Amino acid sequence: MKITRHPNNPIVVPGLFEWRKVTVFNPAVIIDNDKFYMIERTAGSLTPCKNFLGLLESDDGVNFTHVKDEPVVTPDQLGFPYGSVQDPRIVKIDDTFYLNYALRPCAMNYYPTGAGIPERSIPQYPDGWGEKEEHWLTRSGIMTSKDLINWEYLCDTTPLEINDRDNILFPEKINGKFALLRRPEEYVGEAYGTEKAAMWISYSDDLINWDEPKLLAKAENQSWESKKIGGSTPPVRTDKGWLVLYHGVDSETVYRVGALLLDLENPEIVIARTNNFIMEPETYYEKFGFQIPNVIFPTGNVVKDGLLYIYYGVTDTAIALATVPLDDLVEYILNEPQ
């Protein structure tokens, strides 16, 4: 499968403002009125690594500039002044933008080693913050906006007593219901039908009350999915099914990318799935960075003129772009050489 990395990669890098001087990564991207908009995850420090969301725009999907010189979403406005808001995904339904996000009520200190997951420590926060177990659990939620600048909290999409991230809305209702991908880390074991963190799907009539999730896909290829899998990008409607990119993590914490096709009317049905990964860390910027080496982590995709634009974080340090003809990728998933 030939996926083309943009020659300008990484296309968005840290700097410019204090709140993004250390890292920018894992963006949400959407096209609205023929303009590309990106919501970046940023950090101004690794100790603690408090994350914000900034807004950029572009006419060509490559050269982005900031709409505002301050974040459009902060953990403070969600009620967590020592927290971290992370990994946005965005869709537009009717006239409203919906932003999935992950939130950790307290931010960690990170000390990169250059050899995998950084070493960590818990900062000393005032007023009892960081002293309870729930302060370190990642919850997920949805915010809404009409203009991409002013965001309002809508709901939590996951129980607060578990770690649950990679929550991603489908870009339209299915059979009258909103549909949501999830990745609950505690839903493992015989009772859940999976031994590793997996992809689940849930439905809602109103975005507030969600049905119990159903297991959608679990790790199958031990060579690159042995640790866990999770949803990456918002589903893209094609005539062959919903295209969903997902990430797989191996025993060495290398992040790679696979793809699913889900039934348009019943997305619990997996029509086809890649056995092999379609992207893995290859370039220098995908292998080495400020935080975790060997990470490519798509969180945004859009389609323009038949071309799928894949936006992905690299080494939790910067943002890169790759493209592939949408029809070519769909045909590959359906007819992957064995």
Side-chain angles (χ1 to χ4, degrees), residues 51 56 76 81 105 135 151 173 177 182 319 322 326 333:
N51 288 181
L56 304 91
D76 307 71
H135 291 163
W151 291 92
K173 289 184 179 180
K177 292 179 176 288
R182 289 176 50 185
I319 294 168
L326 179 61
I333 300 168

Side-chain angles (χ1 to χ4, degrees), residues 51-245:
N51 288 181
F52 308 90
L53 303 182
L55 177 65
L56 304 91
E57 63 182 5
S58 170
D59 290 324
D60 60 8
V62 178
N63 300 287
F64 284 85
T65 58
H66 281 85
V67 175
K68 297 190 68 177
D69 60 5
E70 57 191 30
V72 293
V73 177
T74 71
D76 307 71
Q77 73 191 75
L78 289 164
F80 297 93
Y82 308 113
S84 185
V85 60
Q86 305 171 356
D87 294 354
R89 277 86 164 193
I90 190 170
V91 298
K92 188 178 186 181
I93 302 176
D94 298 326
D95 64 346
T96 302
F97 296 99
Y98 294 91
L99 186 74
N100 289 113
Y101 64 87
L103 175 76
R104 181 175 285 161
C106 286
M108 284 276 189
N109 288 329
Y110 289 100
Y111 307 94
T113 65
I117 297 174
E119 296 176 358
R120 304 185 297 180
S121 69
I122 296 176
Q124 294 295 312
Y125 289 120
D127 306 322
W129 283 95
E131 296 178 2
K132 299 179 180 179
E133 182 181 357
E134 57 262 34
H135 291 163
W136 303 101
L137 296 177
T138 300
R139 64 185 69 186
S140 290
I142 297 174
M143 301 185 79
T144 63
S145 176
K146 299 292 187 180
D147 60 7
L148 293 169
I149 296 174
N150 300 288
W151 291 92
E152 295 183 357
Y153 167 83
L154 177 66
C155 65
D156 291 312
T157 51
T158 63
L160 303 186
E161 65 272 13
I162 65 171
N163 281 292
D164 197 331
R165 56 193 308 133
D166 297 324
N167 281 215
I168 308 169
L169 275 171
F170 282 68
E172 61 185 70
K173 289 184 179 180
I174 301 175
N175 299 318
K177 292 179 176 288
F178 295 97
L180 179 78
L181 300 176
R182 289 176 50 185
R183 208 280 305 283
E185 292 202 356
E186 284 84 353
Y187 286 16
V188 297
E190 186 175 350
Y192 296 99
T194 177
E195 295 304 313
K196 306 290 182 180
M199 294 174 62
W200 297 67
I201 189 168
S202 183
Y203 302 95
S204 173
D205 292 316
D206 57 7
L207 289 169
I208 307 299
N209 303 289
W210 291 92
D211 298 340
E212 281 297 308
K214 300 176 181 179
L215 182 62
L216 176 65
K218 58 185 179 180
E220 293 182 354
N221 192 318
Q222 291 302 301
S223 66
W224 64 280
E225 301 175 347
S226 58
K227 185 175 287 189
K228 59 186 176 183
I229 66 169
S232 284
T233 55
V236 173
R237 173 183 273 277
T238 77
D239 59 358
K240 301 293 177 59
W242 292 106
L243 169 65
V244 179
L245 301 185

